[in-house]
Amino acid sequence: MNIAEYFQNKEAEIVEKIRQIVEIESPSNDEAGSKEVVDWVEKEARQIGCISSIERIYRQGFGEHLLIRAFSETSNSKPQILLLGHTDTVHPRGANAKNPTRIEGDKFYGCGIFDMKANVVVMLEILQAF
């Protein structure tokens, strides 16, 4: 199976994961929301075989962050790639009620879906594919 087929076969699962993470309200500087979304990302990451370590980093006033390492058993002399993302949104608590997560036609809507919660899910899925 090639990578395109892999993602086509997992489309429904990926869409559901995106819906789950988008529905977690995590406005910037909201420590409770930050913790909840980081809990979700960590739970998903722990299911991926190539993940070598997960470190939670707390920053007062901002919340929790994750440092996820993959493929640590490979040689350190090989080039490394940094995947960087964020899970906070500009949307205040309660915004999901006004802008619910939904699919209309071929478009997927929700608070923080494009910037950048869907991309966090895609990063995890890419690691899963490897």
Side-chain angles (χ1 to χ4, degrees):
M1 171 183 333
N2 67 39
I3 195 78
E5 291 170 330
Y6 172 86
F7 280 96
Q8 287 168 350
N9 291 338
K10 293 194 72 176
E11 181 179 359
E13 181 182 338
I14 293 168
V15 167
E16 174 56 20
K17 287 179 181 181
I18 292 169
R19 184 197 62 74
Q20 289 173 12
I21 194 172
V22 168
E23 299 228 335
I24 300 169
E25 293 188 299
S26 55
S28 298
N29 304 317
D30 182 319
E31 289 190 38
S34 172
K35 181 182 182 323
E36 186 178 353
V37 76
V38 164
D39 287 345
W40 186 92
V41 174
E42 180 179 14
K43 178 181 75 71
E44 292 297 318
R46 290 204 180 278
Q47 299 175 45
I48 300 171
C50 68
I51 300 295
S52 307
S53 67
I54 300 174
E55 179 183 352
R56 290 179 83 117
I57 303 164
Y58 173 76
R59 293 291 181 251
Q60 187 168 351
F62 295 98
E64 300 221 25
H65 301 77
L66 287 177
L67 176 59
I68 300 171
R69 288 190 168 86
F71 307 106
S72 290
E73 66 283 351
T74 60
S75 170
N76 287 337
S77 64
K78 292 186 178 185
Q80 296 181 11
I81 297 173
L82 173 67
L83 302 176
L84 181 65
H86 65 90
T87 55
D88 65 321
T89 71
V90 297
H91 305 279
R93 284 205 175 265
N96 283 357
K98 296 175 185 170
N99 181 24
T101 307
R102 68 202 180 278
I103 296 175
E104 294 178 2
D106 62 351
K107 295 186 176 147
F108 201 175
Y109 296 93
C111 297
I113 199 166
F114 183 72
D115 180 26
M116 91 167 279
K117 288 182 173 183
N119 297 301
V120 169
V121 171
V122 170
M123 284 189 272
L124 293 171
E125 287 298 330
I126 288 168
L127 290 170
Q128 181 66 42
F130 284 107

